[in-house]
Amino acid sequence: TGTGTGTGAEGNGAGTLDGVFVNGQTSQMLGPNLIRVSAPLSCPERGCEAWVNIVLNDPSVKFGQCALTVLVNQTDFDNDHSMEIIEYIGVGARNLTTNVQPGHNPCLERDQGHPMDPAQIPVTVVNAVDVSQETASGILNVFGKISPYVDECASNGYLFHGVAQVDCQVTLVNNTR
């Protein structure tokens, strides 16, 4: 089960790419030459694999170097009696990380009287990895999988609940004829 596909960073025709797109894909300019495109990377079942296609093909800009960051909310990753892990996160045909152990179960910690600080719930599992080669086609396929032992404490209904963020250098293309 996956999250579906993103549908595009088409731009709004005003020389800026800020906006919200179908399936939750969003983009925002972080500076004059830096865009961030984000999309959910989530799935609801134990052992599920999530995937998303992030679309980076806007005719008004040329995309340069791109870096991927993936944040995942803590769910049932406390390794209590089993390997409750993120088995892998990858792009295209490349695994970026394997056997990630975020280490917490916010529900269990709350029930034991030690609630987690909300700032500790999202965990960076991929941090600014260069994906420029994988984005050259205009679409970045991001995927991840949790172990079948992650089976409780869903975040917003998802046992694997994250977001993939791609930060790319961009230059405006002059389309005058």
Side-chain angles (χ1 to χ4, degrees):
T1 302
T3 59
T5 60
T7 60
E10 292 90 8
N12 62 14
T16 177
L17 297 176
D18 285 350
V20 177
F21 305 100
V22 178
N23 289 335
Q25 181 168 315
T26 62
S27 68
Q28 78 182 91
M29 294 302 295
L30 301 178
N33 294 18
L34 184 63
I35 188 172
R36 172 172 290 160
V37 181
S38 301
L41 184 65
S42 303
C43 58
E45 297 104 19
R46 60 193 295 170
C48 63
E49 181 175 46
W51 58 270
V52 66
N53 287 329
I54 299 176
V55 179
L56 301 165
N57 58 358
D58 184 304
S60 67
V61 298
K62 179 177 184 234
F63 286 86
Q65 185 173 9
C66 295
L68 173 70
T69 298
V70 177
L71 300 130
V72 175
N73 280 349
Q74 300 269 7
T75 59
D76 182 23
F77 294 119
D78 60 346
N79 289 318
D80 189 29
H81 308 295
S82 61
M83 291 294 293
E84 297 165 334
I85 61 172
I86 299 169
E87 291 185 2
Y88 52 81
I89 302 283
V91 294
R94 177 168 66 130
N95 274 345
L96 302 177
T97 188
T98 59
N99 298 323
V100 177
Q101 299 178 12
H104 294 278
N105 179 324
C107 300
L108 182 61
E109 293 185 28
R110 178 196 63 225
D111 294 348
Q112 292 174 344
H114 306 289
M116 292 181 69
D117 181 316
Q120 295 175 312
I121 292 179
V123 176
T124 302
V125 295
V126 172
N127 191 11
V129 172
D130 187 339
V131 291
S132 302
Q133 183 175 352
E134 289 85 359
T135 61
S137 72
I139 297 176
L140 178 64
N141 175 256
V142 183
F143 55 87
K145 183 178 185 310
I146 56 173
S147 72
Y149 304 108
V150 177
D151 62 357
E152 62 184 1
C153 195
S155 171
N156 294 312
Y158 298 101
L159 290 173
F160 185 22
H161 186 223
V163 64
Q165 300 176 336
V166 184
D167 294 342
C168 294
Q169 297 292 324
V170 293
T171 52
L172 289 176
V173 174
N174 185 353
N175 288 331
T176 60
R177 296 172 194 216

